[in-house]
Amino acid sequence: MAKKKLSVIDLQKMKEKKEQVVWITAYDFITAQLAEQAGMDMILVGDSLGMCIYGYDGTIPVTMEQCIYHCEAVRRAAPNTFVIGDMPFGSYQISTEEAVSNAIRFHKEANVDAVKLEGGQRVAEVVRAIADSGMLVMGHLGLTPQSSNALGGFKAQGRTAETAMAVVEDARIIYEAGAFSILIEAVPPEVTKIIRDEMPIPIYSIGAGIHADGQVMIVSDLVGHFQAFTPKFVKRYGNVAGEMSKSFESYINEVKEGQFPGEEHAYRMIDGELPKLMELLKK
Ligand code: KIV
């Protein structure tokens, strides 16, 4: 039986039933197809694609075109999964009109189910405008990688009472502005719990502990593909990079040593055609 795509109502009910929502990022067709086949609840086409696909050292250079292009591939692969498009830096900061217009592009061109954007108070008006236009918008608080320069790096947030209170207040503002859910990144679990218990909407965690309505992980960390650095909150469930390196080394060795390709990898001429070819070559 085909997997049923979750709706915003299902996500809300899962919070009420204390059922965890499990999601990952994905950027390409094959990964998204495997995620859907495995039964993933949601897929985020994160702007982390800047690091995981394009080799940038952060998310700031990522463009709308790149995000839409990868959302399209993911949507084709996972028609029955709730897909979220991540709004890249610069796509919602210039004006509310431009933000709504970019959120519309994600929906029209890539058929996403929702968009996500980073920030609290300063993006409340944008969240409201997108929600008022009939689209689902997820907030993203705590460590917000697009503002890593302003935060002084990729650092955990909300570790003091005052900064924790700022995250709680931002969550209230983003909820009031109309977000259907909020992702909290790299914040102590106690703070996430306060927000999760207070908010009627789903609160998801990446590196923000277990007291959330669900967890997301960056696929390249989860499967052991991304090697540049590993945040504290990552658990590797596989060693894709190791497997790939082993395969590449074996391939190089076998070709150099004349072991590949073997007989079994070669096409055969149709019976009786080789002598005819030899005759043709003599003419
Ligand atoms: O871009 C991304 O992958 C994210 C993660 C923090 C989930 O926003």
Side-chain angles (χ1 to χ4, degrees):
M1 202 172 63
K3 176 175 179 276
K4 180 183 166 287
K5 182 158 88 166
L6 295 175
S7 69
V8 65
I9 298 169
D10 296 320
L11 295 169
Q12 189 60 42
K13 282 191 186 146
M14 286 169 83
K15 176 178 175 100
E16 283 150 24
K17 288 194 276 178
K18 300 194 186 324
E19 203 181 313
Q20 287 288 301
V21 174
V22 188
W23 46 303
I24 57 167
T25 65
Y27 321 106
D28 67 282
F29 184 90
I30 291 175
T31 309
Q33 195 173 46
L34 290 169
E36 173 156 309
Q37 283 164 6
M40 206 62 72
D41 291 320
M42 304 200 290
I43 295 177
L44 167 70
V45 184
D47 62 354
S48 48
L49 62 84
M51 290 167 287
C52 300
I53 301 286
Y54 291 96
Y56 306 144
D57 60 5
T59 57
I60 288 169
V62 174
T63 64
M64 272 298 291
E65 269 54 44
Q66 288 167 327
C67 288
I68 300 254
Y69 175 78
H70 289 277
C71 280
E72 284 173 349
V74 165
R75 171 48 82 211
R76 276 195 294 277
N80 301 318
T81 305
F82 191 97
V83 171
I84 305 154
D86 212 4
M87 297 194 68
F89 182 68
S91 70
Y92 57 96
Q93 285 86 353
I94 295 167
S95 71
T96 302
E97 290 68 30
E98 196 172 313
V100 173
S101 149
N102 282 326
I104 290 173
R105 278 194 67 193
F106 271 99
H107 285 77
K108 277 192 176 286
E109 296 175 37
N111 194 17
V112 300
D113 298 290
V115 290
K116 172 170 89 57
L117 52 82
E118 299 181 7
Q121 163 85 60
R122 67 192 156 79
V123 295
E125 191 189 317
V126 168
V127 169
R128 190 179 311 280
I130 296 174
D132 283 352
S133 308
M135 293 174 275
L136 293 174
V137 53
M138 178 187 282
H140 182 163
L141 299 173
L143 169 53
T144 44
Q146 290 174 12
S147 358
S148 58
N149 289 338
L151 297 174
F154 293 91
K155 291 199 169 108
Q157 302 294 306
R159 297 181 68 205
T160 63
E162 207 170 290
T163 57
M165 198 56 220
V167 181
V168 172
E169 271 172 358
D170 272 340
R172 289 175 181 156
I173 290 167
I174 292 302
Y175 160 64
E176 288 294 337
F180 80 100
S181 66
I182 300 173
L183 173 64
I184 314 270
E185 178 166 355
V187 159
E190 302 86 333
V191 182
T192 311
K193 183 174 187 312
I194 291 167
I195 298 171
R196 194 257 337 247
D197 291 349
E198 178 179 318
M199 292 288 133
I201 55 171
I203 302 299
Y204 301 120
S205 152
I206 180 162
I210 197 160
H211 306 298
D213 298 307
Q215 298 288 331
V216 59
M217 261 181 82
I218 293 184
V219 68
S220 322
D221 291 331
L222 167 76
V223 302
H225 193 200
F226 184 75
Q227 295 184 296
F229 60 89
T230 308
K232 175 183 169 63
F233 54 75
V234 164
K235 178 168 177 184
R236 290 203 189 286
Y237 287 84
N239 183 14
V240 167
E243 283 300 314
M244 287 180 77
S245 299
K246 256 199 288 176
S247 308
F248 295 162
E249 283 158 20
S250 301
Y251 169 59
I252 292 169
N253 289 338
E254 289 200 3
V255 173
K256 300 247 183 225
E257 286 164 18
Q259 291 166 358
F260 177 83
E263 284 287 300
E264 69 278 27
H265 305 116
Y267 295 101
R268 295 267 145 281
M269 279 193 80
I270 293 170
D271 277 353
E273 291 300 309
L274 185 57
K276 283 192 217 162
L277 172 63
M278 292 309 180
E279 282 309 311
L280 287 174
L281 286 170
K282 283 183 203 157
K283 283 184 189 160

